[in-house]
Amino acid sequence: MSVKPAVKSSILVIALVSMVQTLSACVSTPPPAPEQMSRTQVETAPADLQLLCANAVAKSSGADSAKILPMSSSRIDSKTYQVELDAGGKKTSCLVDTDGTVKSVEPI
């Protein structure tokens, strides 16, 4: 009869250890400060300017504009963005200003 209290205490210990492990897995580190997030370090081109570049690449290469995908973009200066596009496996760089004027389209 002394086995039953020992089994009960073993089960209780296992349950407590399991619960502590489960709760410790729920604790997470706080997110980084906004100035430390990579997304805040680079300003991407607005979608309309990326589409202007995609259309310019389509015109210059003769490719179907539906198959030209913006891959990345970044602000070069206060009025200019660089957009990198994939035109069916061909990488292209486009410079566009904030007024919507495409300044250049060049293969990478």
Side-chain angles (χ1 to χ4, degrees), residues 6-7 9 12 14 20 26-27 36 39 41 47 54 59 66 71 77 79 81-84 87 97-98 101:
V7 171
S9 63
L12 181 61
I14 292 171
V20 167
C26 293
V27 176
Q36 293 177 339
R39 187 73 169 157
Q41 299 299 318
K59 286 180 185 175
M71 302 304 290
D77 59 37
K79 290 193 58 91
Y81 289 95
Q82 178 179 10
V83 181
E84 293 186 5
D97 68 18
T98 54
T101 304

Side-chain angles (χ1 to χ4, degrees), residues 5-97:
V7 171
K8 285 182 181 180
S9 63
S10 295
I11 292 173
L12 181 61
V13 167
I14 292 171
L16 286 174
V17 168
S18 176
M19 186 173 72
V20 167
Q21 288 176 340
T22 302
L23 290 176
S24 68
C26 293
V27 176
S28 63
T29 59
E35 64 273 2
Q36 293 177 339
M37 292 183 183
S38 62
R39 187 73 169 157
T40 60
Q41 299 299 318
V42 175
E43 185 178 339
T44 59
D48 60 334
L49 298 181
Q50 292 184 38
L51 289 174
L52 286 172
C53 277
N55 288 332
V57 170
K59 286 180 185 175
S60 70
S61 68
D64 180 6
S65 62
K67 295 185 179 187
I68 299 174
L69 302 172
M71 302 304 290
S72 67
S73 65
S74 59
R75 184 181 279 271
I76 300 298
D77 59 37
S78 64
K79 290 193 58 91
T80 310
Y81 289 95
Q82 178 179 10
V83 181
E84 293 186 5
L85 304 109
D86 182 343
K90 296 177 184 176
K91 307 293 184 200
T92 306
S93 176
C94 171
L95 292 180
V96 62
D97 68 18

